[in-house]
Amino acid sequence: MKVRLYDIAHARAGDKGNLNTIALIPYDPAWYPALCAAVTPRRVAEHLSDRVSGEVVRHRLDNVHALIFVCPRAGDDTVTTSLHLDTHGKSLGSALLELTIETAGPADGTAGSR
Amino acid sequence: MNTTGARIGCGAGFAADRIEPAVDLVERGRLNAIALECLGERTVSLAALRRLADPGGGFDPMLAKRVRPLLEPLARTGTRLVTNAGAANPLAAARMVRGLGADSGVRTSVAAVVGDDVLDRLDLSAPAWEDGRPLREHGEIVSANAYIGVDAILPALETGAGVVITGRAADPSLFLAPLMHELGWDPADRDRMAAGTLIGHLLECAGQVTGGYFADPGPKPVPGLARLGYPLAEVGADGTAVITKLPGTGGRVDRMTVVEQLTYEVTDPHAYLTPDVALDMTGVGVTDLGGDRVGVGGARGRARPERLKVSVGYRAGFRGEGEISYAGRGALERARLAADVVRERLSGALPRLRVDIAGLNSLHGDALAEGGEPYECRLRVAGLAGDLATAEIVGEEVSALYTSGPAGGGGVRAAATEVIGVLSSTVAREQVHTEVVVMDDTDDREEQGA
């Protein structure tokens, strides 16, 4: 099945210098394994290629069923010197939620999202 | 010392935060302490520039407005205030707060924590974290502030001061220090240091853990967002805590809001570094207790970093910006034509130029900007130049679209400002010498202690 992340998860973006962090959190923890399988660092880097360059690093927080993506920003785009309208990149969580994944679905077989 | 527990709140999550929720927290929260986090990475550098222009300035310009309504309830309830709003001049900030107390007849002892400014000791050959190049290659450096921690703040609390004002203290340390002071925690107890740091990290952005920056009508509703209450933590002597908010305030505290804040600005959940500890949050448990109460625990701590992070401000040039809106049939095509015209007119004038259409692609680029044409959209042009006059050309060319651009443009705004860039590096702990200056309103002496 194809699922848009927005329909099963929420996100929050943060910033550190020339990095953005984006947390991805499923509404239902049953979706966590599917997110771990489908939302790879490479997939995120491709999806956010307008704003992100270089290697995206992914951390798993299995204890709270959350993924953290650490995304290097392109070139000289730091929070303080950025020419973007959203200098902090705080809207990138919404960009990540636009990603559509191909997945077998939640671990418990239900279609439940939120 | 309190062996049963402590209550601590957060009354500001950034320099421009709202003021009323902090007053409510002090009035009704039965708090031991409240912290106000008012210092972003860039804020201290901008403050350093203001201090250069005025030696009595350089602290948070909103501090007086923020503290004035708090002083009387703080004194009445015995709640202590800790804030980093001293920015580039904690001493002047403390003097100002002491003056406010004197003016309003509130007896308050104010302590300033000074010594985070390491500009005169900065190793300019040290690499910037951002690009690995030596600091000196980035331009004229105007500020360097080390992230100080509980080592620096605790002595201020031990003086008995009701208000403690710091400069560049690490955000979670503003919470950990009063918790240590209240609960008698040993700095060598790394798991307690980690627990208090976790609590500070969850509280430091104020409304962000109570439903602020969270609402998405439909999937993520937040009741009473306009009356958003700010958070407090009920902290046990063992470091476990309940994150909650005052009854009757808007917002929500549950597993979702707490996990979003837990992961906020975290680049390594195995080692979230502060001057006090390396917090490992991979074993943290978040338990929804219902009724806007969430239990947190399970933080583990490892040795604190050997060197302190330092935030370095440098002159990065001047940013020029201009915006103009188009609406109605063909709005997007007219905005695109305007973009082409400005790009051609500014060709080669600035080393960096960016042209976007707000309402279409200004946040996430073209790849995600699919779908129908917007009814109205706003052209935005931004450029970076080495001098103010060149930066101003951006706004001038956007303004010129009124009479020599596409049809129907309106609402031009133009601006040009100096850009202070911020880089991160480290400084040896022994290079940073902090001290506490107490201003007691019982006499006019300023006592100085290590």
Side-chain angles (χ1 to χ4, degrees):
Chain A
M1 61 194 285
K2 280 191 190 303
V3 177
R4 192 179 291 246
L5 293 183
Y6 180 84
D7 293 323
I8 57 170
H10 54 114
R12 178 170 291 180
D15 59 272
K16 286 280 172 198
N18 60 351
L19 299 174
N20 268 108
T21 63
I22 311 174
L24 182 67
I25 308 150
Y27 290 104
D28 181 346
W31 275 98
Y32 182 62
L35 293 181
C36 291
V39 191
T40 60
R42 178 184 297 242
R43 193 75 204 280
V44 170
E46 286 168 4
H47 180 67
L48 301 178
S49 60
D50 179 74
R51 196 77 196 261
V52 168
S53 71
E55 192 192 350
V56 171
V57 172
R58 186 181 84 171
H59 297 288
R60 287 174 57 146
L61 272 172
D62 293 351
N63 50 320
V64 291
H65 307 105
L67 292 172
I68 296 174
F69 298 90
V70 182
C71 307
R73 292 153 63 131
D76 44 12
D77 183 30
T78 75
V79 170
T80 47
T81 60
S82 178
L83 292 181
H84 281 76
L85 185 55
D86 175 13
T87 52
H88 289 80
K90 282 183 177 279
S91 71
L92 285 175
S94 300
L96 179 59
L97 294 180
E98 286 296 302
L99 178 66
T100 297
I101 57 170
E102 180 69 45
T103 172
D108 61 3
T110 66
S113 53
R114 42 182 179 265
Chain B
M1 192 195 304
N2 191 330
T3 51
T4 55
R7 293 167 67 87
I8 186 165
C10 181
F14 75 120
D17 211 342
R18 302 189 68 241
I19 290 168
E20 295 82 355
V23 180
D24 195 16
L25 267 177
V26 174
E27 291 277 4
R28 297 198 289 138
R30 293 178 287 117
L31 304 178
N32 300 98
I34 186 168
L36 310 176
E37 199 291 286
C38 298
L39 208 52
E41 286 194 329
R42 183 175 70 129
T43 322
V44 69
S45 302
L46 296 173
L49 281 188
R50 291 201 305 275
R51 186 181 181 170
L52 283 177
D54 169 14
F59 57 88
D60 183 347
M62 272 185 79
L63 183 60
K65 196 172 177 181
R66 207 175 278 294
V67 168
R68 195 176 284 117
L70 284 175
L71 280 179
E72 189 278 326
L74 284 169
R76 172 163 38 84
T77 61
T79 307
R80 305 180 83 179
L81 175 73
V82 183
T83 180
N84 55 9
N89 201 345
L91 206 54
R95 231 172 249 132
M96 186 277 293
V97 170
R98 184 190 179 213
L100 283 181
D103 291 348
S104 56
V106 179
R107 293 172 68 89
T108 304
S109 167
V110 184
V113 180
V114 300
D116 61 295
D117 183 343
V118 293
L119 183 57
D120 60 354
R121 270 148 284 168
L122 190 66
D123 175 8
L124 297 179
S125 63
W129 291 2
E130 284 74 8
D131 59 8
R133 287 163 50 217
L135 292 170
R136 68 158 57 87
E137 289 183 15
H138 293 80
E140 184 198 342
I141 289 172
V142 295
S143 69
N145 295 81
Y147 282 75
I148 58 175
V150 295
D151 288 359
I153 303 171
L154 272 171
L157 290 166
E158 282 156 8
T159 67
V163 176
V164 173
I165 300 180
T166 76
R168 181 63 284 174
D171 300 351
S173 308
L174 302 175
F175 301 83
L176 175 58
L179 288 175
M180 291 173 71
H181 182 75
E182 194 66 30
L183 298 169
W185 288 349
D186 179 351
D189 185 340
R190 289 173 182 164
D191 286 344
R192 293 283 201 294
M193 295 300 99
T197 299
L198 171 69
I199 293 161
H201 171 64
L202 290 173
L203 296 182
E204 68 178 85
C205 296
Q208 276 194 191
V209 77
T210 53
Y213 212 60
F214 180 88
D216 188 356
K220 294 163 71 185
V222 175
L225 185 56
R227 300 176 287 105
L228 185 70
Y230 286 180
L232 67 100
E234 303 166 357
V235 184
D238 63 352
T240 60
V242 172
I243 308 294
T244 187
K245 66 185 185 70
L246 292 175
T249 57
R252 59 186 266 189
V253 184
D254 55 24
R255 193 186 70 88
M256 286 172 67
T257 65
V258 170
V259 173
E260 276 199 21
Q261 182 59 25
L262 177 72
T263 54
Y264 181 66
E265 290 183 338
V266 173
T267 55
D268 182 359
H270 298 274
Y272 181 81
L273 301 180
T274 75
D276 313 314
V277 73
L279 159 65
D280 180 353
M281 52 176 69
T282 60
V284 166
V286 175
T287 310
D288 206 327
L289 304 172
D292 290 315
R293 295 173 62 80
V294 172
V296 294
R300 287 188 302 264
R302 287 197 297 277
R304 65 186 197 179
E306 283 183 19
R307 294 173 68 84
L308 295 177
K309 180 179 177 181
V310 55
S311 219
V312 179
Y314 69 101
R315 294 189 191 270
F318 295 80
R319 182 190 289 116
E321 292 171 279
E323 298 184 0
I324 185 169
S325 284
Y326 296 89
R329 192 71 51 103
L332 184 54
E333 281 313 304
R334 280 178 281 135
R336 282 191 167 126
L337 174 58
D340 291 343
V341 166
V342 173
R343 233 187 245 112
E344 189 173 335
R345 287 177 181 163
L346 285 173
S347 171
L350 295 96
R352 282 172 64 195
L353 188 71
R354 182 173 181 91
V355 183
D356 296 308
I357 298 176
L360 184 73
N361 61 7
S362 64
L363 294 182
H364 300 156
D366 285 319
L368 301 181
E370 55 190 24
E373 181 169 336
Y375 180 80
E376 61 177 55
C377 51
R378 188 159 176 83
L379 176 72
R380 176 179 182 271
V381 186
L384 195 68
D387 62 280
L388 184 62
T390 307
E392 283 171 343
I393 295 173
V394 175
E396 289 164 10
E397 285 294 4
V398 172
S399 300
L401 290 170
Y402 267 141
T403 54
S404 33
V412 166
R413 294 283 185 278
T417 50
E418 182 170 14
V419 177
I420 299 301
V422 172
L423 301 165
S424 302
S425 191
T426 61
V427 64
R429 280 184 185 269
E430 47 284 11
Q431 295 272 60
V432 183
H433 315 289
T434 60
E435 57 184 351
V436 174
V437 180
V438 180
M439 298 174 194
D440 192 327
D441 69 356
T442 54
D443 61 33
D444 275 338
R445 279 177 298 128
E446 288 180 10
E447 297 167 28
Q448 205 140 333

